[in-house]
Amino acid sequence: MFSNTLVQVGLFLTVLLLVTKPMGLWIANVMNGNCKIINRLGAPFERLIYRTLGTNPDTEMGWKQYAIALLLFNLVGVAFVYVLQRWQVWLPLNPQHFSAVSVDSSFNTAISFVTNTNWQGYSGEVTMSYLTQMLGLTVQNFLSAATGIAVVFALIRGFARHTSKTIGNFWVDMTRSTLYILLPLSFLFAIALMGQGVIQNFDAYKEVSTLQPTTYSTANEAGQLINQTTNTQTLAMGPVASQEAIKMIGTNGGGFFNTNSAHPFENPTPLSNFLQMLAIFLIPAGLCFAFGMMVGDRRQGWAIFSAMAIVFVVMAAVAISAEQAGNPILTASGADQTVSVSQSGMALQSGGNMEGKETRFGIVSSALFATVTTAASCGAVNTMHDSLTPIGGLVPMWLIQLGEVIFGGVGSGLYTMLIYAVLAVFIAGLMIGRTPEYLGKKIEIFDMKMTAIIILVTPLLVLIGTAIAVSVTSGTVGVANPGAHGFSEILYALSSAANNNGSAFAGLSANTPFYNTLLAFAMFFGRFGIILPVLAIAGSMAAKKRIPVSLGTMPTHGALFVTLLIGAVILVGALTYIPALALGPVIEHLLMVGV
């Protein structure tokens, strides 16, 4: 087991490290307009877009103007996706003749995809038409990811510039990140996925004959359950590869099928599974290097990358070991008579905890995928998190609650991590008497007020939302499991929504007016309640004078800073969420091991 884990995790990290620098170079050159090939080939398309938008690409914006443009653009996106779902019954590319989506589900889904959350309270293959999937959801996969990239570059410019009133042009940032980063990568990745067997078509759903008859239960007119047997199965078709590509590249996570990347039409082979995990981290890792380039010190980018990688490796190791150990209750009941003993003396199930996992991938790939998708703001799943062991489930839940800064979402992971960097140097300055400054910019009262808002927004949404959900009948009626695990399902749902992840424990029936409204509220304010103060900090930093390095300046590129940064992230997460986690996965683990 150990060698298998070492090979898979080591291979993943090695490949990620190899692609980080070239990806970062490409992103930085594209966003700065320094790529000659792009300038030559893409200039006509850019000019057409700017002319259509009625904007001058040479005119930059202050942070307030940038924020207004961003908010208006995303609100238009919410309205468009909402209307598309409500009208899909009258629109083309609906071979299954799906009816209009309900008001509350349409509202939830529109906000979900615009905020890069991609929480899905519905089953895609029996709810959304091909046109809705492509024109609504897939398009927003691009635009929400581009919004994250735009915001992080606005913040990076704030650190890189001095005595400046502007942080860039929102429309230029959106255009370049979509045209030259997201579209090319998604095109290439979609081809690679099709080569592995991911489907891409506009066919009607197919009825196929099964090798063996299937018996299922259904209700008759009197409401009684009766057994029926069938020799046919309906196979859903659709333009899956194109949505799957940007789902991963843009750290979106919204799957074409209800079972997401556990479905063989979305994720057919171990190689496609590996590529999907790599795609999730590709841009977030590259942005770390791009950040170092733009601030004039590549060591700064590698310091951020190192902090992310260290926490990721530790979390992945905990999740994998917990799933490999299995469930001691099953062992004690005699369900698995063949056990091995670890070096610590703990009995291990011979197959580990395979509940809810695909045999195509096994425990290591499944637990690694769960760690990757929640370390990033992705939400795609290749295993059911509801079936993870308590500790195995705690890892993805806590990674989400940390703000998804361990590589994180496209753009959102880095800009949130940079806020933690500001917090870390401020705390260090108070502790050791150093000047609180980061990258030559003095950290002042306004910056710390905005930092406090950023850090407090999501915990307030998560904890207050969870308290409401467990206090009312509308919140508890959808819980499939009683006790601590049911509480974990609700806590995970609010954590996923407020932090814009989108994955779920899957044991909670959340497609109700109550949860669709509550989670939509959490997703919207969890996204824009952070973006607005981030842009405010960007404007504040850009306007500051650069302070020369002195004896009072704390280096922010070495091991000490990396340690402080990790400590700030873990400490804030621990102080905020440990009490809630103790009521869920922690107590569930203690009950499982018989303490």
Side-chain angles (χ1 to χ4, degrees), residues 31 138 158 205 221 314 321:
M31 296 303 291
T138 303
Y205 289 6
E221 294 180 356
V314 172
S321 61

XYZ file of all heavy atoms in Angstrom, residues 31 138 158 205 221 314 321:
53
model
N -1.178 37.707 -20.106
C -1.911 38.743 -19.382
C -1.209 40.096 -19.440
O -1.859 41.142 -19.326
C -2.114 38.305 -17.934
C -2.971 37.058 -17.776
S -4.624 37.194 -18.513
C -5.384 38.381 -17.420
N -21.631 25.521 -19.626
C -20.246 25.458 -20.085
C -19.668 26.847 -20.325
O -18.505 27.116 -19.994
C -20.143 24.621 -21.379
O -20.682 23.319 -21.127
C -18.700 24.477 -21.828
N -1.526 45.360 -8.035
C -1.496 46.214 -6.860
C -0.184 46.098 -6.112
O 0.371 47.108 -5.641
N -30.747 9.937 -26.402
C -30.358 8.874 -25.479
C -30.655 7.510 -26.114
O -31.623 7.355 -26.856
C -31.099 9.001 -24.154
C -30.645 10.182 -23.313
C -29.726 11.118 -23.794
C -31.139 10.367 -22.025
C -29.307 12.188 -23.019
C -30.729 11.448 -21.242
C -29.827 12.351 -21.754
O -29.423 13.417 -20.989
N -50.436 2.153 -8.717
C -51.405 3.234 -8.533
C -51.857 3.355 -7.084
O -52.243 4.436 -6.631
C -52.614 2.996 -9.440
C -52.281 3.086 -10.934
C -53.496 2.855 -11.798
O -54.571 2.555 -11.234
O -53.368 2.992 -13.029
N 0.564 16.682 3.148
C 0.138 16.201 4.474
C -1.326 15.776 4.449
O -1.685 14.701 4.956
C 0.371 17.292 5.536
C -0.235 16.878 6.873
C 1.855 17.568 5.702
N -4.313 7.320 3.976
C -4.102 6.340 5.043
C -5.404 5.993 5.745
O -5.636 4.831 6.123
C -3.083 6.877 6.052
O -3.546 8.076 6.655
